[in-house]
Amino acid sequence: MKKNIRQALLSTLLASAFAVTGSVAAAGTLAVNIAYKGATQRAVWQSTLDEFHKQNPDVDVKVTFVEEETYKVQLPGWLTTQAPDIINWHNGERMAFYASRGLLEDLSDDWKKNGWDDVYASTKSASSYQGKQYALPTVYYSWGLFYRKDSFKSAGISDEPKTWDEFLAACNKLKAAGITPIAVGARDAWTLAGWFDYLDLRLNGNAFHQQLMGGEIAYTDPRVKKVYSAWKNLIDSKYFIDNALSYDLDGAQPFLFQGKAAMMLMGTFIAKGFPPKLAANMGYFQFPVIDAHVATAEDGPAESIHIPSKARNKTDAHRFLAFVGTPAISAKLADGLGSLPANSKSPEPVEPISRIGFQILSNTKGGIAQFYDRDMTKEMADEGLKGMQKFVSDPTKIDDILNDLEQSRKRIYKKS
């Protein structure tokens, strides 16, 4: 009997000890879910997590890698049930969608404690929802105008255009030299969105642009029509390649590669795909200023990391954010992910076009937009992209297109 009692007591003590050590182990486990595209992206994230563990040996990092498209589908389920401690995602409306539903941790104290207001000043707005920060930006990429240096030279263009008048003058010189000024793959509607974004940002500014993206401004507003009118002038002047709607991005790039077109408005991510012989001949410049009274804003879609509100190990999750928010780690991620470091204190990229993009985004005073379909709800973005393709097909239909978009805005955002 006494033996049975001793065995029972021993079993109880062992069970208690296991429970204690088990809870300690759980408290030191950081669950990280990462979306990735390709082996290179996975490798740089794994290396970053390994480096964090090396500096924080008391934290056991458990990472789950999920291909990006699958990740998008699974993310809502994680956030509403058993959430990991760290996720990567996108800034802007895509972040705000989850923050507004209480599914992301408020990181405002992290921003204050780590001095991020300074080093992430250009992406703070896109990291915020209702005045609070819910994201740490990791990398982003610049949008601007790629151009062939030899085409500019043969057309007698000595300097990169900095103003709208200079840009239009350059387009006219290119046409006179028998070179189409601009290539665009309009079959991919998002390539058109870059033109809308920049014309709106340069004419109306980022505050207006974000209100429009948020459904707060009517598409029949004269300021929106002003954007389309400026765009119509480019189309009517035949500055774009013919039959642009017949080409996607891959189909439009050869116009640039073969010297048939001189420029393309696009993100810096395409630079890695330039033929080696062409790369040295390609330049890149900031979208020209149209109205000097409007603060210059840029498209700089940012990737970010977040702590879900239902995370179990928030203590170590905050430690991980502080680690990733350093200049060295931001630069490392940017290099491995083919992007630019969001941390303005990171070393400038070595590759020339990436370096120009980094300088543009780091120095912008008018704010960073996340790109058309990342700054608004998907349903409205889809309607807007279809409207842009209709516009390119027939630019005389501006009023009809804007009236249709306004009806969509009222329906989607429940405006009277």
Side-chain angles (χ1 to χ4, degrees):
M1 186 71 172
K2 290 181 179 179
K3 183 178 180 181
N4 290 338
I5 292 173
R6 285 199 301 272
Q7 287 177 334
L9 287 170
L10 181 60
S11 296
T12 301
L13 288 170
L14 287 172
S16 299
F18 179 81
V20 171
T21 56
S23 63
V24 171
T29 298
L30 184 71
V32 182
N33 284 16
I34 296 292
Y36 75 100
K37 282 184 177 178
T40 301
Q41 290 195 2
R42 177 169 178 158
V44 72
W45 272 113
Q46 184 64 65
S47 175
T48 301
L49 292 163
D50 290 344
E51 190 171 338
F52 172 75
H53 177 62
K54 184 177 180 180
Q55 294 185 24
N56 301 272
D58 57 315
V59 182
D60 180 21
V61 180
K62 181 181 178 182
V63 59
T64 301
F65 289 104
V66 183
E67 194 279 327
E68 186 167 334
E69 294 307 312
T70 304
Y71 189 98
K72 293 176 183 177
V73 175
Q74 295 180 351
L75 180 61
W78 300 333
L79 294 179
T80 54
T81 55
Q82 292 187 332
D85 303 309
I86 294 288
I87 60 167
N88 66 331
W89 192 230
H90 312 292
N91 260 6
E93 194 278 334
R94 294 188 183 183
M95 174 275 297
F97 178 86
Y98 291 116
S100 67
R101 288 158 174 78
L103 297 173
L104 298 179
E105 183 84 350
D106 179 1
L107 305 177
S108 301
D109 288 343
D110 298 75
W111 277 70
K112 293 174 185 175
K113 181 173 68 174
N114 296 313
W116 290 343
D117 284 348
D118 177 28
V119 293
Y120 293 107
S122 62
T123 48
K124 182 177 180 180
S125 175
S127 302
S128 305
Y129 173 71
Q130 293 189 344
K132 297 179 180 179
Q133 290 69 58
Y134 292 87
L136 169 65
T138 52
V139 300
Y140 57 4
Y141 54 87
S142 167
W143 272 71
L145 283 151
F146 288 89
Y147 73 99
R148 290 184 64 110
K149 296 175 183 177
D150 58 352
S151 295
F152 270 39
K153 184 177 181 180
S154 65
I157 304 166
S158 56
D159 298 310
E160 296 170 350
K162 291 182 172 55
T163 68
W164 197 238
D165 285 343
E166 291 173 355
F167 178 73
L168 297 179
C171 288
N172 286 329
K173 287 182 178 181
L174 287 163
K175 277 187 65 181
I179 303 168
T180 301
I182 305 163
V184 62
R187 197 168 79 191
D188 286 333
W190 61 270
T191 67
L192 298 175
W195 281 97
F196 177 85
D197 276 4
Y198 268 99
L199 290 170
D200 192 34
L201 290 170
R202 292 293 184 266
L203 287 166
N204 298 315
N206 192 38
F208 175 89
H209 184 70
Q210 294 306 325
Q211 287 181 299
L212 181 66
M213 298 296 99
E216 298 300 319
I217 291 175
Y219 281 83
T220 50
D221 188 295
R223 290 168 293 183
V224 180
K225 185 171 182 179
K226 187 177 180 180
V227 172
Y228 275 90
S229 296
W231 198 352
K232 182 177 182 295
N233 181 54
L234 299 179
I235 297 172
D236 290 345
S237 299
K238 299 194 179 300
Y239 291 156
F240 295 101
I241 58 173
D242 291 335
N243 304 313
L245 287 166
S246 300
Y247 305 99
D248 59 11
L249 176 59
D250 290 338
Q253 286 190 86
F255 284 88
L256 203 63
F257 298 162
Q258 297 165 14
K260 296 178 180 178
M263 293 182 282
M264 175 180 279
L265 176 63
M266 189 49 59
T268 48
F269 59 85
I270 69 166
K272 286 184 176 289
F274 289 155
K277 292 183 179 179
L278 177 64
N281 187 38
M282 294 302 299
Y284 181 76
F285 63 92
Q286 186 176 26
F287 196 95
V289 171
I290 299 179
D291 184 342
H293 297 98
V294 176
T296 304
E298 304 295 329
D299 265 340
E303 309 297 320
S304 46
I305 57 174
H306 314 261
I307 301 175
S309 58
K310 294 189 176 183
R312 297 181 179 184
N313 186 2
K314 294 182 180 180
T315 299
D316 290 331
H318 287 285
R319 290 170 67 184
F320 182 71
L321 259 63
F323 167 80
V324 174
T326 58
I329 296 301
S330 186
K332 174 181 178 175
L333 285 171
D335 184 57
L337 298 173
S339 300
L340 306 172
N343 190 311
S344 63
K345 302 300 183 184
S346 294
E348 290 190 358
V350 175
E351 192 275 320
I353 286 176
S354 294
R355 186 169 67 249
I356 295 168
F358 179 77
Q359 291 168 348
I360 290 171
L361 292 177
S362 295
N363 296 320
T364 184
K365 304 300 182 186
I368 302 287
Q370 288 307 291
F371 199 73
Y372 188 83
D373 62 354
R374 290 191 182 191
D375 274 328
M376 69 167 73
T377 62
K378 183 180 186 304
E379 190 176 4
M380 190 66 224
D382 288 345
E383 293 297 324
L385 293 172
K386 285 189 290 186
M388 290 176 201
Q389 288 182 318
K390 290 178 182 177
F391 167 71
V392 169
S393 176
D394 186 354
T396 67
K397 300 291 187 182
I398 291 179
D399 290 331
D400 291 341
I401 290 166
L402 293 180
N403 284 330
D404 288 345
L405 288 176
E406 176 57 13
Q407 294 307 309
S408 296
R409 182 189 77 94
K410 290 179 177 179
R411 171 177 55 82
I412 292 167
Y413 293 100
K414 297 179 173 56
K415 303 289 185 180
S416 57

